[in-house]
Amino acid sequence: MDGASGPGEGPAQEALQSLNQRLRVQEEEMELVKAALAEALRLLRLQSPPASLQCSGTLAPVRDSSPAAPPGLPPTCSLSLVSRGTQTETEVEMEPSPEPPGLSNGPPASQRGSEEPSGTQSEGGGSSSSGAGSPGPPGILRPVQPPQRADTLRRNSSSSSSPSERPRQKLSRKAASSANLLLRSGSTESRGGKDPLSSPGGPGSRRSNYNLEGISVKMFLRGRPITMYIPSGIRSLEELPSGPPPETLSLDWVYGYRGRDSRSNLFVLRSGEVVYFIACVVVLYRPGGGPGGPGGGGQRHYRGHTDCVRCLAVHPDGVRVASGQTAGVDKDGKPLQPVVHIWDSETLLKLQEIGLGAFERGVGALAFSAADQGAFLCVVDDSNEHMLSVWDCSRGVKLAEIKSTNDSVLAVGFSPRDSSCIVTSGKSHVHFWNWSGGAGIPGNGTLARKQGVFGKYKKPKFIPCFVFLPDGDILTGDSEGNILTWGRSLSDARTPGRGGAKETYGIVAQAHAHEGSIFALCLRRDGTVLSGGGRDRRLVQWGPGLVALQEAEIPEHFGAVRAIAEGLGSELLVGTTKNALLRGDLAQGFSPVIQGHTDELWGLCTHPSQNRFLTCGHDRQLCLWDGEAHALAWSIDLKETGLCADFHPSGAVVAVGLNTGRWLVLDTETREIVSDVTDGNEQLSVVRYSPDGLYLAIGSHDNMIYIYSVSSDGAKSSRFGRCVGHSSFITHLDWSKDGNYIMSNSGDYEILYWDVAGGCKLLRNRYESRDREWATYTCVLGFHVYGVWPDGSDGTDINSLCRSHNERVVAVADDFCKVHLFQYPCARAKAPSRMYGGHGSHVTSVRFTHDDSYLVSLGGKDASIFQWRVLGAGGAGPSPVTPSRTPSLSPASSLDV
């Protein structure tokens, strides 16, 4: 409005615009009905002689003046059968179709996406006014009466009314037409007692209505209708495949190691395998000479946990392993209790489940007893009181329990000479516990605490680690970089004790070992001790009397030392705070055998001709992985968060989208940046090359898709145009096989189609795109994949989707830590899937490798990368999982072990 407008005209004009938009939505819904009726009539004509349709008062005669309908549809009256649950309702429309059934799927180009789309209806993500303003839920069709007025005006017909009155007249006519269209017929009792005007679904719901005659399907996300046209080659939805796919997944390799925020996470088994964990998986890694080849080795995986593993302990026999997990929640938000698993590392079978319902928040530290062949297990949980408990390993029963401290407990261990002595350390404390077993009667044992006395020595803020010496003394490493030697001494009047104890523990020696905190101590077989520093990244070997014998420094890009384990011979395994696992010795140095990201992951793309893939995330690292060698090929620092990536079809360059609106093109061989462009200041969510490599599409959170022309080698690009029309941020997009069109999804569940070659134009007749073939299928909304959505979905439950190159299966990454495998096309509601667990956070992306031999999935906050082997029907591998149509965190349904 201009500045001379009256004060009351602003709200009135906005209301009028809103009514006009609602009018447009209702017109579009009527056109969908007419298209369905026309298709049904065509089918009836094919099955019955023309004379059978001349029933008196049933159908209006065909008018030659009707505009042309889409190919294959008659231009006049039509019939549509729409199913809702088990009920089928029929609608007959006697008014001729005024235009083809291609519905407007977005606002005009002049209406920017930043404006609120109060009435715009697109194929995906109908406006809220269409869902709430209509007398009945969209997609529920009922018989209507013939229109009473013979002079019904078309939308674009001329009128003698003044321009200011035309919108109101159109609104009046459409309100009456909509009322007739949605007239109720019959009682609710005749429909099985169900209310035909019930809401299509409130927030957090997902429901689908499907057209039995092959026109369209409609599903609802958060109460918003999403209409999808059925391809002409599908005569009935019953023709589509049902059941889970014959293909299965087998976990082949896990990239990464959780050293960033955990301890007690690296051990060597009797078999020589290295055991560590990441996400919900405990990895048994066999160094060198395995299936991975040089630098690779082999992996096995224990996948019995339902949430992230936090700590490990290895039994004195070197075979049994105890692993403790954190508490979690299932898909309904209900808490899952932390628990400890004792399992056999040779068979990967669970032997005992300990503490279900006894721990709070999670299991923080574990230790087997050593003096009695590992008969007992000590556990410290993550509750406020950090409950310390002792368990009988063979029976799985609790023998004693006590509140330890309100401060953090970082380590626990039994004395190797006396199982009645337990030590804990953590924030500003070292506690020495005396345990009496109570004759093995559950709950009858007792635990008594003795406080470690620092005396004249400065009390450190943290004591992250300790180790028992053969002579019974204890070494602790603290946050001041000191190694303290603790020994027993008689108490006297000047030494505070607890309960009149006759002896206490005190510091008998101190050595300054590192700059910064000491994170790890390890007793070697020869009696020497290794210490690993944080800030200085040094690994030092100490002899008797804490005399330094030898040392080595870990390269900076691997981070600080987190854990140390002694391997075969002089070999050492070192875990670092940047989630790397190093192998070597003090003399020759260390090289990485396992590497990973250190923060949340989002970007993933696979090479067009090799088993390689690229990842990026919040740690600002761009990494290229070799899927055959199971190793990191190279990595570079992006300096900014990387959120998406895609290879050029030649594989020579890769485009990476950042969170600042910048996107880079890098040479995959030289790692040099050949192009650096910025589009807007919002984060980029998707970058995608056309199949011929001539275009690059970039989807942004500013609601636009930027199109660039690309040179044959992919190194140079120039702006070609912009696709403007989405009313929310771009989430996914795909190119057609001919490279001329784009299908895109947005944050408000829109599905739009674009003619890129024709000038980045929005295709408003979506009906014409129903038979278009797509080079890739990563859009989470569309007819071919709408069956992947679970009941009760809120629209954000599926993060990523990918169709295999052979177009047989669809992989889905969900918000409940699961990877699903569906048949393609997946266009039947509540489609069953094969479901696989292992990730400890929302799965952010999935992609098939170029030959469909592997599937790669990314964990979000757990920073894990899983490489799954795709097994065909009847192939070797683990038994197929039980099909499930909804995500679940229960062990029985989520694991494929």
Side-chain angles (χ1 to χ4, degrees):
M1 296 180 62
D2 55 33
S5 300
E9 294 184 13
Q13 185 67 21
E14 292 178 0
L16 187 59
Q17 291 177 354
S18 177
L19 292 175
N20 282 334
Q21 290 176 330
R22 182 174 297 182
L23 172 65
R24 188 186 313 142
V25 170
Q26 292 175 341
E27 288 176 339
E28 293 166 353
E29 291 179 349
M30 290 186 64
E31 297 310 320
L32 176 61
V33 171
K34 293 172 184 177
L37 295 173
E39 176 69 8
L41 181 59
R42 183 180 67 82
L43 295 175
L44 290 174
R45 285 175 174 170
L46 294 176
Q47 299 175 5
S48 306
S52 63
L53 297 178
Q54 303 301 320
C55 300
S56 174
T58 302
L59 296 176
V62 176
R63 288 200 256 175
D64 296 334
S65 59
S66 300
L73 298 184
T76 56
C77 51
S78 55
L79 177 73
S80 176
L81 298 179
V82 177
S83 169
R84 180 188 181 192
T86 58
Q87 308 161 43
T88 302
E89 304 183 21
T90 307
E91 172 184 311
V92 180
E93 173 62 71
M94 301 184 67
E95 186 177 0
S97 299
E99 56 183 330
L103 308 185
S104 173
N105 59 353
S110 60
Q111 297 182 0
R112 272 298 316 274
S114 59
E115 300 177 2
E116 182 67 20
S118 60
T120 302
Q121 171 81 19
S122 67
E123 179 174 348
S127 69
S128 58
S129 64
S130 68
S134 301
I140 307 302
L141 309 182
R142 300 173 178 82
V144 299
Q145 302 297 327
Q148 301 300 318
R149 294 184 54 180
D151 58 343
T152 302
L153 300 177
R154 293 176 55 189
R155 175 181 176 185
N156 297 324
S157 62
S158 61
S159 172
S160 59
S161 303
S162 63
S164 62
E165 295 178 352
R166 289 174 186 169
R168 294 184 178 87
Q169 291 175 351
K170 288 197 290 183
L171 181 62
S172 305
R173 291 194 299 270
K174 292 310 298 178
S177 175
S178 298
N180 289 333
L181 179 65
L182 296 169
L183 281 177
R184 297 178 60 177
S185 64
S187 63
T188 57
E189 288 80 4
S190 66
R191 292 178 174 83
K194 297 183 180 179
D195 182 6
L197 293 179
S198 61
S199 170
S205 68
R206 173 253 192 234
R207 197 197 69 192
S208 63
N209 296 334
Y210 49 91
N211 186 319
L212 298 180
E213 298 300 332
I215 292 295
S216 66
V217 296
K218 181 176 288 188
M219 63 180 286
F220 293 87
L221 289 175
R222 299 184 69 89
R224 305 190 67 173
I226 303 172
T227 303
M228 296 157 284
Y229 288 102
I230 303 175
S232 58
I234 299 177
R235 304 296 300 173
S236 169
L237 295 182
E238 300 303 320
E239 300 175 358
L240 299 176
S242 61
E247 290 81 1
T248 60
L249 299 179
S250 174
L251 186 56
D252 178 67
W253 197 265
V254 177
Y255 298 85
Y257 153 84
R258 185 166 180 172
R260 174 187 53 175
D261 60 353
S262 65
R263 297 167 177 81
S264 301
N265 57 8
L266 182 63
F267 298 91
V268 177
L269 301 175
R270 187 179 66 183
S271 63
E273 291 176 300
V274 181
V275 58
Y276 60 93
F277 58 82
I278 183 171
C280 304
V281 177
V282 183
V283 181
L284 293 87
Y285 167 68
R286 184 174 60 258
Q299 280 188 358
R300 296 188 299 139
H301 310 98
Y302 176 75
R303 296 171 53 205
H305 287 282
T306 58
D307 215 294
C308 288
V309 182
R310 293 299 308 276
C311 53
L312 288 176
V314 174
H315 193 274
D317 63 12
V319 175
R320 284 175 282 179
V321 178
S323 50
Q325 72 174 54
T326 187
V329 294
D330 63 11
K331 69 183 185 67
D332 299 320
K334 297 179 181 178
L336 295 174
Q337 297 172 329
V339 70
V340 174
H341 289 184
I342 299 178
W343 46 279
D344 189 312
S345 63
E346 295 178 348
T347 63
L348 299 181
L349 295 178
K350 182 170 63 177
L351 305 176
Q352 192 70 254
E353 186 174 87
I354 287 179
L356 184 63
F359 308 129
E360 292 185 22
R361 297 182 184 170
V363 179
L366 290 170
F368 280 104
S369 60
D372 45 24
Q373 291 77 47
F376 305 107
L377 180 71
C378 185
V379 182
V380 180
D381 72 5
D382 286 332
S383 64
N384 290 336
E385 298 83 10
H386 297 94
M387 301 299 295
L388 173 67
S389 55
V390 179
W391 298 76
D392 186 314
C393 295
S394 60
R395 296 185 295 163
V397 296
K398 182 166 57 179
L399 302 178
E401 183 179 43
I402 193 172
K403 296 179 181 179
S404 64
T405 177
N406 289 332
D407 293 325
S408 300
V409 178
L410 304 178
V412 64
F414 283 92
S415 169
R417 305 201 311 176
D418 183 4
S419 294
S420 66
C421 177
I422 300 173
V423 178
T424 61
S425 71
K427 183 178 180 181
S428 300
H429 76 270
V430 177
H431 289 165
F432 303 88
W433 301 86
N434 185 34
W435 168 59
S436 62
I441 301 175
N444 225 24
T446 60
L447 284 160
R449 184 182 70 182
K450 297 179 182 179
Q451 179 79 43
V453 178
F454 286 89
K456 63 180 181 180
Y457 299 95
K458 178 183 177 181
K459 179 183 288 189
K461 188 174 182 180
F462 288 98
I463 303 175
C465 56
F466 64 85
V467 65
F468 290 93
L469 295 179
D471 61 5
D473 287 345
I474 300 172
L475 298 183
T476 61
D478 61 37
S479 55
E480 303 296 325
N482 296 321
I483 297 178
L484 304 177
T485 303
W486 295 76
R488 295 188 179 188
S489 60
L490 294 177
S491 62
D492 55 33
R494 297 185 302 272
T495 305
R498 293 184 57 88
K502 294 184 178 180
E503 60 181 12
T504 185
Y505 291 83
I507 302 171
V508 297
Q510 173 181 284
H512 186 70
H514 294 272
E515 296 299 326
S517 182
I518 299 175
F519 287 152
L521 291 172
C522 175
L523 178 66
R524 303 195 69 174
R525 287 185 290 268
D526 61 5
T528 60
V529 174
L530 293 170
S531 64
R535 189 185 307 166
D536 61 11
R537 306 184 315 280
R538 291 165 55 236
L539 195 65
V540 183
Q541 182 178 12
W542 303 90
L546 291 179
V547 176
L549 302 178
Q550 197 174 7
E551 69 176 64
E553 184 174 336
I554 304 300
E556 183 177 1
H557 61 276
F558 293 131
V561 177
R562 175 64 78 187
I564 308 169
E566 189 176 22
L568 302 177
S570 63
E571 182 180 85
L572 298 175
L573 283 302
V574 178
T576 74
T577 56
K578 289 192 176 180
N579 293 354
L581 184 60
L582 311 180
R583 179 186 180 193
D585 56 43
L586 295 174
Q588 302 297 324
F590 295 86
S591 59
V593 291
I594 298 293
Q595 291 178 267
H597 285 270
T598 59
D599 209 341
E600 189 170 356
L601 292 176
W602 280 96
L604 170 66
C605 62
T606 53
H607 195 280
S609 59
Q610 302 174 16
N611 277 335
R612 291 190 163 200
F613 57 92
L614 187 141
T615 58
C616 56
H618 289 198
D619 62 358
R620 304 182 178 184
Q621 296 295 311
L622 180 69
C623 299
L624 180 67
W625 305 89
D626 188 330
E628 295 292 342
H630 300 139
L632 178 66
W634 55 256
S635 67
I636 64 169
D637 188 356
L638 294 173
K639 308 297 184 183
E640 296 176 11
T641 298
L643 297 177
C644 52
D646 193 42
F647 278 99
H648 186 270
S650 67
V653 296
V654 63
V656 183
L658 309 179
N659 67 333
T660 58
R662 288 178 62 212
W663 55 273
L664 311 174
V665 178
L666 295 93
D667 188 299
T668 56
E669 293 297 327
T670 65
R671 313 176 205 174
E672 295 180 355
I673 297 176
V674 298
S675 181
D676 186 341
V677 184
T678 299
D679 284 310
N681 56 6
E682 301 273 352
Q683 71 181 48
L684 304 180
S685 51
V686 55
V687 294
R688 188 63 46 81
Y689 283 100
S690 61
D692 53 14
L694 298 181
Y695 295 106
L696 174 63
I698 301 165
S700 171
H701 270 228
D702 64 6
N703 305 351
M704 288 186 283
I705 302 173
Y706 300 90
I707 306 297
Y708 282 80
S709 297
V710 180
S711 61
S712 58
D713 60 358
K716 297 180 180 180
S717 60
S718 60
R719 174 75 73 83
F720 179 79
R722 295 187 308 174
C723 298
V724 182
H726 271 294
S727 55
S728 185
F729 57 90
I730 313 303
T731 58
H732 307 83
L733 65 84
D734 291 291
W735 285 91
S736 61
K737 290 186 176 180
D738 59 13
N740 294 328
Y741 301 91
I742 283 178
M743 169 176 58
S744 58
N745 292 169
S746 63
D748 60 352
Y749 321 129
E750 286 181 323
I751 309 173
L752 299 186
Y753 300 93
W754 311 88
D755 182 358
V756 175
C760 302
K761 297 177 181 178
L762 177 64
L763 298 177
R764 299 189 176 277
N765 191 342
R766 302 185 319 278
Y767 182 87
E768 295 179 351
S769 297
R770 65 176 184 164
D771 290 329
R772 189 159 285 122
E773 295 184 343
W774 302 101
T776 59
Y777 213 120
T778 61
C779 287
V780 298
L781 295 172
F783 169 78
H784 295 83
V785 297
Y786 86 93
V788 306
W789 287 89
D791 284 338
S793 175
D794 67 354
T796 63
D797 292 337
I798 293 178
N799 298 314
S800 177
L801 177 150
C802 183
R803 181 191 68 191
S804 62
H805 297 87
N806 60 19
E807 302 187 12
R808 295 181 55 182
V809 293
V810 172
V812 170
D814 72 17
D815 244 9
F816 309 109
C817 316
K818 298 295 183 290
V819 174
H820 296 257
L821 211 59
F822 293 85
Q823 287 204 67
Y824 181 85
C826 185
R828 304 184 71 168
K830 304 178 183 179
S833 71
R834 300 192 185 277
M835 185 167 59
Y836 302 88
H839 285 290
S841 176
H842 53 288
V843 186
T844 56
S845 188
V846 286
R847 289 292 183 270
F848 286 95
T849 55
H850 72 103
D851 57 359
D852 294 330
S853 59
Y854 294 100
L855 175 73
V856 181
S857 61
L858 301 185
K861 292 185 179 298
D862 65 23
S864 65
I865 306 171
F866 286 10
Q867 180 174 311
W868 306 84
R869 186 181 299 274
V870 181
L871 304 176
S879 301
V881 294
T882 303
S884 173
R885 61 178 176 84
T886 56
S888 171
L889 294 180
S890 63
S893 61
S894 65
L895 300 177
D896 176 29
V897 180

